Every structure is written in structure tokens, then in C-alpha cells.
Amino acid sequence: MTAKTYIVGNWKMNQTLSELEAFFNDLKSTALPEGNFWIAPQLIHIPKALDLTAGTQFKIGAQNSSENDFGAFTGETSCKSLHEAGAHFVIVGHSERRSLYGETNKIVNSKTLKALDSNLLPIVCVGETLEQREANQTLDVVLTQVKEALSNVKLTSENELVLAYEPVWAIGTGKTATPEQAEEVHSAIRATLKELYGELGNNISILYGGSVKPANVTELLNQPNINGGLVGGASLKAESFAALCKWNQ
Ligand code: PGA
């Protein structure tokens, strides 16, 4: 397996402009290994984040996008416009989008297709609620989300798509899945990706998200099918984000 490792910061609706400037200035003065270190700031801050990271290894993306191309969709942003603005990737189907804004697997699928169409790399998020876990529905829920999100999604390379497993009960709660709990789901997602994409499915990266922090990142990423982290709270401070980037040092 040669799936790449990613550390992706999902800033959600956090960071003022001055905090963002301080973050990237601090980060640029920190010695980091080479890697796929990505940040999704608030939409309005994407151009500033791109300016501040020009010529560095950091990549900037969006937290959401429209499933439509253009038209009367007040407040929405198209994948094409995100790509034109310089975004590299888009997070699709985050659990907050699913629970607060009613995103269904079908919408997640449309957004994934649209992102690929616009040369934006989709990071497709899946994950079960606590209720579903306690009812032993985790694999059923997660694998259905994966299959429905990827319906009609054709890939020519493993670099076109990233998956993220984020158990809803672990997001922003300080409760992390144990490495074994996470690996169980990641290896089931891996098997599904192989069913869908053959050998290529072996190399698609599957990130874990849900209270990842410098203290637990290494044990999580040491699991065979955990290929990185999608990180909220612990990605907001440069020092902590840098520590995550150095997870294997
Ligand atoms: P958290 O958020 O790291 O703050 O739990 C993760 C996410 O929502 O992507």
C-alpha cells in the first residue's frame, strides 16, 4: 500500500484575519518535514491564506461547496469558483454539514462529482453517531455513506480523492476513537474502496478525524489503514498544527 499521509486542518468558523496571519507566519518560521499539510480556512480567507502560503508546501482548500454549477443559489459557492480562486481541495459531507444543513448521502455524492469535475480534490467525510455505534450499526452506516457518496465516481488516480472517517461522537468532544476502533472502520472502508476501484483502492488515503491532537496522532497514524488526520480544534494554533505535522519524528 502506498497511500499518502495527510494532515488537514478544518478551521470551521474560526480564526480572525489577524489570527490567520499570525498562524501562517509562525508556521513558516517552524522547521517541518516535507508532507501533505493542508488547511481549510473560512471561505472569505482563502485568498489571504493562498497569499501567505505562496511558494510553500501548504495547500489551501474549502470546507464546503455547492452541488450546482451556477444560478439562483444565494449564499452558495461553486466548485468552479473555488478552483479559480486557487483552492486545491474541498471537504464534502462533514458531519456538521449533514446534521446542521441537512446534507444527505445523495447531496454528498453530487458535491463529490462536482468537485472532481472542477479539478478540486474532494475529502469525503463519513461517520456514525453514538446512537448508531451503540446499536452496532457503525459499519453498516459508514459503508453505506461511502458507497452512496461514491456512486458514479470514476477515478483515474488515487490522488483524486481522499476519504475521512470521523465518528460524530468524537468530533470536538475530546473523546477520540481508540486506534483499534478507528482501524476497524478504516480497514472496512479500505475493503469497500478495493471493491469499487480495484488496486487503486489500496492507495486512496483514508484520514481519521475526531479529537486528533499531538498527544494521540502518532498512535492513530501508526495504524495500517489510517493515512492521516482531519483535525479541527488542534489545527488552530501553529504550534499544535506543526506538532501534528511532525507526528512521526
Ligand atoms: P476536532 O474536529 O478535531 O475538533 O474533533 C474534527 C473535524 O470536525 O473535522
Side-chain angles (χ1 to χ4, degrees):
M1 181 166 53
T2 57
K4 291 186 189 160
T5 304
Y6 296 80
I7 299 291
V8 182
N10 171 15
W11 281 0
K12 311 189 181 184
M13 205 170 72
N14 295 301
Q15 303 290 56
T16 61
L17 194 53
S18 62
E19 286 167 339
L20 172 138
E21 282 169 348
F23 176 95
F24 284 114
N25 289 333
D26 284 356
L27 201 60
K28 284 192 287 187
S29 60
T30 310
L32 291 179
E34 270 186 34
N36 301 296
F37 306 138
W38 296 1
I39 297 279
Q42 294 185 65
L43 177 65
I44 188 94
H45 290 156
I46 288 177
K48 187 69 188 176
L50 284 165
D51 269 4
L52 289 168
T53 54
T56 71
Q57 61 178 334
F58 306 110
K59 286 196 163 54
I60 304 300
Q63 300 171 14
N64 182 35
S65 57
S66 172
E67 69 269 39
N68 296 295
D69 285 322
F70 60 88
F73 302 102
T74 301
E76 293 290 283
T77 306
S78 69
C79 288
K80 187 164 181 249
S81 298
L82 287 170
H83 183 253
E84 283 173 347
H88 181 73
F89 67 95
V90 60
I91 298 171
V92 182
H94 187 279
S95 72
E96 286 149 21
R97 300 293 320 170
R98 292 176 187 260
S99 67
L100 300 173
Y101 302 98
E103 287 191 9
T104 58
N105 288 342
K106 192 166 185 311
I107 294 175
V108 173
N109 176 237
S110 304
K111 291 188 173 192
T112 304
L113 288 165
K114 204 54 79 179
L116 285 164
D117 228 35
S118 312
N119 292 317
L120 275 181
L121 182 147
I123 300 180
V124 176
C125 302
V126 296
E128 82 288 2
T129 63
L130 185 58
E131 224 176 19
Q132 291 164 336
R133 174 162 283 267
E134 285 173 347
N136 278 327
Q137 293 166 348
T138 299
L139 293 183
D140 205 24
V141 167
V142 168
L143 298 182
T144 302
Q145 288 174 332
V146 170
K147 285 180 197 149
E148 294 190 5
L150 298 181
S151 168
N152 293 318
V153 169
K154 310 261 181 298
L155 298 176
T156 51
S157 142
E158 61 265 24
N159 297 322
E160 292 171 347
L161 174 77
V162 169
L163 264 283
Y165 167 58
E166 297 202 303
V168 178
W169 49 271
I171 295 178
T173 58
K175 277 190 216 154
T176 319
T178 63
E180 295 72 28
Q181 275 175 326
E183 174 60 21
E184 185 194 2
V185 181
H186 280 240
S187 71
I189 295 174
R190 172 76 59 218
T192 301
L193 291 175
K194 283 202 262 187
E195 265 168 43
L196 293 172
Y197 300 110
E199 195 41 42
L200 203 144
N202 245 335
N203 299 329
I204 295 172
S205 299
I206 310 170
L207 316 186
Y208 168 80
S211 300
V212 175
K213 45 187 182 269
N216 60 24
V217 65
T218 307
E219 55 174 11
L220 286 161
L221 270 58
N222 273 335
Q223 298 296 313
N225 288 291
I226 302 186
N227 314 114
L230 178 56
V231 190
S235 71
L236 291 169
K237 293 269 181 286
E239 194 189 348
S240 161
F241 186 74
L244 295 169
C245 297
K246 293 193 261 188
W247 67 274
N248 63 350
Q249 292 196 337

